[in-house]
Amino acid sequence: MVNFYLVRHGDALSASENPERPLSPTGREAVARVAGLARERQAQVSVIYHSGILRAQQTAEILAQYLEPTEGVTAISGLLPDDDPAMGQAQLEAATEPVMLVGHLPYMRRLAALLVNGDPERPVVDFAPADLICCSKKHLRWRINWHLAPPSP
């Protein structure tokens, strides 16, 4: 059984503070705490994919510092906020190694719902900033194994 990881990017600056919306200092810290918790749970990933948007890229890079994916960090299409979650599902189902996807709302919430419920409109997890879920597929059925949220500072 292969574990897969879905992550919402950390808290970002507002567009008025910075139009590129990088992670805020609080967001960076929260992602680092979640990454440390994931490492403690012995999460292993071969690659971390992100949407290409700066805040997702920065989140993926912080996670990579802790989880050391063998194939690194890569931007891919199909992880934008309004993309079809069936694209992510197909990618996970084709993977033979553990993969982490870093993206946005509503995409991550819809992808988790599609995997677990078969319906992207029936949420199973809310995905606050920097939340990470570990999921797997066994006997044609997806399930959430665990969920990490950043602890309070």
Side-chain angles (χ1 to χ4, degrees), residues 59-98:
T59 298
E61 290 168 350
I62 294 168
L63 288 159
Q65 291 172 9
Y66 287 80
L67 302 178
E68 301 175 351
T70 54
E71 297 175 38
V73 174
T74 305
I76 61 168
S77 61
L79 296 177
L80 295 174
D82 295 319
D83 283 344
D84 183 352
M87 293 169 56
Q89 179 183 26
Q91 179 155 19
L92 293 177
E93 290 185 346
T96 57
E97 298 288 325

Short mmCIF file of all heavy atoms in Angstrom, two decimals, residues 59-98:
data_model
loop_
_atom_site.label_atom_id
_atom_site.label_comp_id
_atom_site.label_asym_id
_atom_site.label_seq_id
_atom_site.Cartn_x
_atom_site.Cartn_y
_atom_site.Cartn_z
N THR A 59 5.68 26.38 0.09
CA THR A 59 5.23 25.33 1.00
C THR A 59 5.92 24.02 0.64
O THR A 59 6.44 23.31 1.52
CB THR A 59 3.69 25.17 0.93
OG1 THR A 59 3.09 26.40 1.37
CG2 THR A 59 3.19 24.02 1.78
N ALA A 60 5.95 23.68 -0.65
CA ALA A 60 6.59 22.44 -1.11
C ALA A 60 8.08 22.44 -0.77
O ALA A 60 8.63 21.41 -0.34
CB ALA A 60 6.38 22.28 -2.61
N GLU A 61 8.74 23.57 -0.93
CA GLU A 61 10.17 23.64 -0.64
C GLU A 61 10.46 23.44 0.84
O GLU A 61 11.44 22.77 1.20
CB GLU A 61 10.74 24.97 -1.14
CG GLU A 61 10.78 25.04 -2.66
CD GLU A 61 11.06 26.42 -3.22
OE1 GLU A 61 11.04 27.41 -2.44
OE2 GLU A 61 11.29 26.52 -4.44
N ILE A 62 9.63 24.01 1.71
CA ILE A 62 9.81 23.79 3.15
C ILE A 62 9.59 22.33 3.49
O ILE A 62 10.37 21.72 4.23
CB ILE A 62 8.87 24.72 3.96
CG1 ILE A 62 9.28 26.18 3.78
CG2 ILE A 62 8.87 24.32 5.45
CD1 ILE A 62 8.25 27.19 4.28
N LEU A 63 8.53 21.74 2.96
CA LEU A 63 8.27 20.31 3.20
C LEU A 63 9.45 19.46 2.73
O LEU A 63 9.84 18.49 3.40
CB LEU A 63 6.98 19.88 2.50
CG LEU A 63 5.69 20.40 3.14
CD1 LEU A 63 4.55 20.38 2.14
CD2 LEU A 63 5.34 19.60 4.39
N ALA A 64 10.03 19.80 1.60
CA ALA A 64 11.15 19.04 1.05
C ALA A 64 12.38 19.10 1.96
O ALA A 64 13.14 18.12 2.03
CB ALA A 64 11.50 19.55 -0.34
N GLN A 65 12.58 20.21 2.65
CA GLN A 65 13.71 20.30 3.58
C GLN A 65 13.62 19.25 4.68
O GLN A 65 14.63 18.75 5.15
CB GLN A 65 13.76 21.69 4.21
CG GLN A 65 14.13 22.79 3.25
CD GLN A 65 13.98 24.17 3.89
OE1 GLN A 65 13.75 24.31 5.09
NE2 GLN A 65 14.10 25.20 3.06
N TYR A 66 12.41 18.90 5.07
CA TYR A 66 12.19 17.93 6.15
C TYR A 66 12.04 16.50 5.62
O TYR A 66 12.48 15.55 6.27
CB TYR A 66 10.93 18.29 6.93
CG TYR A 66 11.10 19.49 7.81
CD1 TYR A 66 11.03 20.78 7.29
CD2 TYR A 66 11.33 19.35 9.18
CE1 TYR A 66 11.18 21.89 8.10
CE2 TYR A 66 11.49 20.46 9.99
CZ TYR A 66 11.42 21.73 9.45
OH TYR A 66 11.57 22.83 10.26
N LEU A 67 11.41 16.34 4.46
CA LEU A 67 11.06 15.00 3.98
C LEU A 67 12.02 14.46 2.92
O LEU A 67 11.97 13.27 2.60
CB LEU A 67 9.63 15.00 3.44
CG LEU A 67 8.56 15.41 4.46
CD1 LEU A 67 7.18 15.42 3.81
CD2 LEU A 67 8.58 14.50 5.68
N GLU A 68 12.86 15.32 2.37
CA GLU A 68 13.92 14.94 1.42
C GLU A 68 13.42 14.00 0.32
O GLU A 68 13.88 12.86 0.21
CB GLU A 68 15.09 14.32 2.19
CG GLU A 68 15.68 15.26 3.21
CD GLU A 68 16.77 14.63 4.07
OE1 GLU A 68 16.98 13.40 4.00
OE2 GLU A 68 17.42 15.39 4.80
N PRO A 69 12.49 14.45 -0.51
CA PRO A 69 11.99 13.59 -1.59
C PRO A 69 13.11 13.25 -2.58
O PRO A 69 13.88 14.13 -2.97
CB PRO A 69 10.90 14.42 -2.26
CG PRO A 69 11.24 15.84 -1.90
CD PRO A 69 11.90 15.79 -0.56
N THR A 70 13.20 11.98 -2.96
CA THR A 70 14.28 11.52 -3.83
C THR A 70 14.25 12.20 -5.19
O THR A 70 15.29 12.40 -5.81
CB THR A 70 14.22 10.00 -4.02
OG1 THR A 70 12.91 9.64 -4.46
CG2 THR A 70 14.51 9.28 -2.71
N GLU A 71 13.07 12.57 -5.68
CA GLU A 71 12.95 13.21 -6.99
C GLU A 71 12.69 14.71 -6.89
O GLU A 71 12.36 15.35 -7.90
CB GLU A 71 11.85 12.52 -7.81
CG GLU A 71 12.17 11.07 -8.10
CD GLU A 71 11.03 10.36 -8.79
OE1 GLU A 71 10.35 10.98 -9.64
OE2 GLU A 71 10.80 9.19 -8.46
N GLY A 72 12.80 15.27 -5.69
CA GLY A 72 12.72 16.71 -5.52
C GLY A 72 11.32 17.30 -5.56
O GLY A 72 10.33 16.62 -5.28
N VAL A 73 11.28 18.57 -5.94
CA VAL A 73 10.06 19.38 -5.96
C VAL A 73 9.83 19.85 -7.40
O VAL A 73 10.76 20.33 -8.04
CB VAL A 73 10.23 20.60 -5.03
CG1 VAL A 73 9.05 21.55 -5.13
CG2 VAL A 73 10.44 20.15 -3.59
N THR A 74 8.59 19.70 -7.88
CA THR A 74 8.28 20.04 -9.27
C THR A 74 6.91 20.68 -9.38
O THR A 74 5.96 20.22 -8.75
CB THR A 74 8.27 18.76 -10.15
OG1 THR A 74 9.53 18.10 -10.00
CG2 THR A 74 8.04 19.07 -11.61
N ALA A 75 6.81 21.72 -10.21
CA ALA A 75 5.50 22.32 -10.52
C ALA A 75 4.83 21.48 -11.60
O ALA A 75 5.50 21.06 -12.56
CB ALA A 75 5.68 23.75 -11.00
N ILE A 76 3.54 21.24 -11.45
CA ILE A 76 2.78 20.52 -12.47
C ILE A 76 1.44 21.21 -12.69
O ILE A 76 0.96 21.95 -11.83
CB ILE A 76 2.52 19.03 -12.10
CG1 ILE A 76 1.70 18.91 -10.81
CG2 ILE A 76 3.82 18.26 -12.02
CD1 ILE A 76 1.17 17.51 -10.55
N SER A 77 0.84 20.96 -13.81
CA SER A 77 -0.49 21.51 -14.07
C SER A 77 -1.53 20.62 -13.38
O SER A 77 -1.25 19.48 -13.02
CB SER A 77 -0.75 21.57 -15.57
OG SER A 77 -0.71 20.28 -16.13
N GLY A 78 -2.73 21.17 -13.20
CA GLY A 78 -3.83 20.41 -12.62
C GLY A 78 -4.04 20.61 -11.14
O GLY A 78 -4.89 19.95 -10.55
N LEU A 79 -3.29 21.51 -10.50
CA LEU A 79 -3.43 21.74 -9.05
C LEU A 79 -3.89 23.15 -8.70
O LEU A 79 -3.81 23.55 -7.55
CB LEU A 79 -2.09 21.47 -8.34
CG LEU A 79 -1.54 20.05 -8.39
CD1 LEU A 79 -0.19 19.98 -7.71
CD2 LEU A 79 -2.51 19.08 -7.74
N LEU A 80 -4.38 23.88 -9.68
CA LEU A 80 -4.85 25.24 -9.41
C LEU A 80 -6.20 25.20 -8.68
O LEU A 80 -6.90 24.19 -8.72
CB LEU A 80 -4.96 26.01 -10.72
CG LEU A 80 -3.63 26.25 -11.44
CD1 LEU A 80 -3.86 26.90 -12.79
CD2 LEU A 80 -2.69 27.09 -10.58
N PRO A 81 -6.57 26.30 -8.03
CA PRO A 81 -7.77 26.29 -7.19
C PRO A 81 -9.03 25.74 -7.86
O PRO A 81 -9.79 25.00 -7.23
CB PRO A 81 -7.95 27.76 -6.81
CG PRO A 81 -6.56 28.31 -6.83
CD PRO A 81 -5.87 27.59 -7.96
N ASP A 82 -9.25 26.06 -9.12
CA ASP A 82 -10.49 25.65 -9.79
C ASP A 82 -10.30 24.50 -10.78
O ASP A 82 -11.21 24.22 -11.56
CB ASP A 82 -11.13 26.86 -10.48
CG ASP A 82 -11.56 27.90 -9.47
OD1 ASP A 82 -12.09 27.51 -8.41
OD2 ASP A 82 -11.34 29.09 -9.71
N ASP A 83 -9.16 23.82 -10.74
CA ASP A 83 -8.94 22.70 -11.64
C ASP A 83 -9.83 21.51 -11.27
O ASP A 83 -10.33 21.41 -10.14
CB ASP A 83 -7.46 22.27 -11.63
CG ASP A 83 -6.57 23.20 -12.44
OD1 ASP A 83 -7.11 23.99 -13.24
OD2 ASP A 83 -5.35 23.13 -12.27
N ASP A 84 -9.99 20.61 -12.20
CA ASP A 84 -10.81 19.41 -12.01
C ASP A 84 -10.06 18.43 -11.12
O ASP A 84 -8.97 17.98 -11.49
CB ASP A 84 -11.10 18.79 -13.37
CG ASP A 84 -12.01 17.57 -13.30
OD1 ASP A 84 -12.31 17.08 -12.18
OD2 ASP A 84 -12.42 17.10 -14.37
N PRO A 85 -10.62 18.05 -9.97
CA PRO A 85 -9.91 17.12 -9.09
C PRO A 85 -9.72 15.73 -9.69
O PRO A 85 -8.89 14.95 -9.22
CB PRO A 85 -10.77 17.08 -7.83
CG PRO A 85 -12.11 17.53 -8.25
CD PRO A 85 -11.89 18.47 -9.39
N ALA A 86 -10.45 15.40 -10.74
CA ALA A 86 -10.26 14.10 -11.40
C ALA A 86 -8.85 13.99 -11.97
O ALA A 86 -8.31 12.88 -12.07
CB ALA A 86 -11.31 13.90 -12.49
N MET A 87 -8.24 15.13 -12.33
CA MET A 87 -6.85 15.10 -12.83
C MET A 87 -5.90 14.64 -11.73
O MET A 87 -5.02 13.81 -11.96
CB MET A 87 -6.46 16.48 -13.35
CG MET A 87 -7.23 16.90 -14.59
SD MET A 87 -7.01 18.65 -15.04
CE MET A 87 -5.26 18.81 -15.19
N GLY A 88 -6.07 15.15 -10.53
CA GLY A 88 -5.24 14.74 -9.41
C GLY A 88 -5.48 13.30 -9.04
O GLY A 88 -4.55 12.56 -8.72
N GLN A 89 -6.74 12.88 -9.07
CA GLN A 89 -7.07 11.49 -8.76
C GLN A 89 -6.36 10.56 -9.75
O GLN A 89 -5.77 9.55 -9.35
CB GLN A 89 -8.57 11.27 -8.81
CG GLN A 89 -8.97 9.83 -8.52
CD GLN A 89 -10.46 9.61 -8.64
OE1 GLN A 89 -11.17 10.31 -9.35
NE2 GLN A 89 -10.96 8.62 -7.91
N ALA A 90 -6.41 10.87 -11.03
CA ALA A 90 -5.77 10.04 -12.04
C ALA A 90 -4.26 9.97 -11.81
O ALA A 90 -3.65 8.90 -11.94
CB ALA A 90 -6.07 10.58 -13.44
N GLN A 91 -3.67 11.09 -11.44
CA GLN A 91 -2.23 11.10 -11.19
C GLN A 91 -1.88 10.21 -9.99
O GLN A 91 -0.92 9.45 -10.05
CB GLN A 91 -1.76 12.53 -10.93
CG GLN A 91 -0.28 12.57 -10.63
CD GLN A 91 0.34 13.88 -10.94
OE1 GLN A 91 -0.35 14.87 -11.06
NE2 GLN A 91 1.63 13.90 -11.08
N LEU A 92 -2.64 10.31 -8.92
CA LEU A 92 -2.37 9.49 -7.75
C LEU A 92 -2.58 8.01 -8.06
O LEU A 92 -1.79 7.17 -7.63
CB LEU A 92 -3.26 9.91 -6.58
CG LEU A 92 -2.98 11.30 -6.00
CD1 LEU A 92 -3.97 11.62 -4.89
CD2 LEU A 92 -1.56 11.41 -5.49
N GLU A 93 -3.62 7.70 -8.78
CA GLU A 93 -3.91 6.29 -9.08
C GLU A 93 -2.86 5.68 -10.01
O GLU A 93 -2.68 4.47 -10.01
CB GLU A 93 -5.32 6.15 -9.62
CG GLU A 93 -6.33 6.39 -8.51
CD GLU A 93 -7.78 6.17 -8.90
OE1 GLU A 93 -8.09 6.06 -10.09
OE2 GLU A 93 -8.60 6.10 -7.96
N ALA A 94 -2.17 6.50 -10.79
CA ALA A 94 -1.13 6.00 -11.68
C ALA A 94 0.23 5.89 -10.98
O ALA A 94 1.12 5.21 -11.46
CB ALA A 94 -1.01 6.91 -12.90
N ALA A 95 0.37 6.53 -9.83
CA ALA A 95 1.66 6.55 -9.13
C ALA A 95 1.96 5.22 -8.45
O ALA A 95 1.06 4.58 -7.90
CB ALA A 95 1.66 7.68 -8.10
N THR A 96 3.21 4.84 -8.49
CA THR A 96 3.65 3.62 -7.80
C THR A 96 4.54 3.94 -6.60
O THR A 96 4.91 3.05 -5.86
CB THR A 96 4.42 2.71 -8.78
OG1 THR A 96 5.53 3.44 -9.32
CG2 THR A 96 3.51 2.22 -9.90
N GLU A 97 4.90 5.19 -6.45
CA GLU A 97 5.70 5.66 -5.33
C GLU A 97 4.90 6.71 -4.57
O GLU A 97 4.01 7.34 -5.13
CB GLU A 97 7.00 6.30 -5.85
CG GLU A 97 7.90 5.36 -6.61
CD GLU A 97 8.58 4.35 -5.72
OE1 GLU A 97 8.92 4.71 -4.57
OE2 GLU A 97 8.76 3.20 -6.15
N PRO A 98 5.22 6.97 -3.30
CA PRO A 98 4.50 7.99 -2.54
C PRO A 98 4.72 9.39 -3.12
O PRO A 98 5.84 9.77 -3.41
CB PRO A 98 5.07 7.89 -1.13
CG PRO A 98 6.13 6.88 -1.15
CD PRO A 98 6.24 6.30 -2.51
#
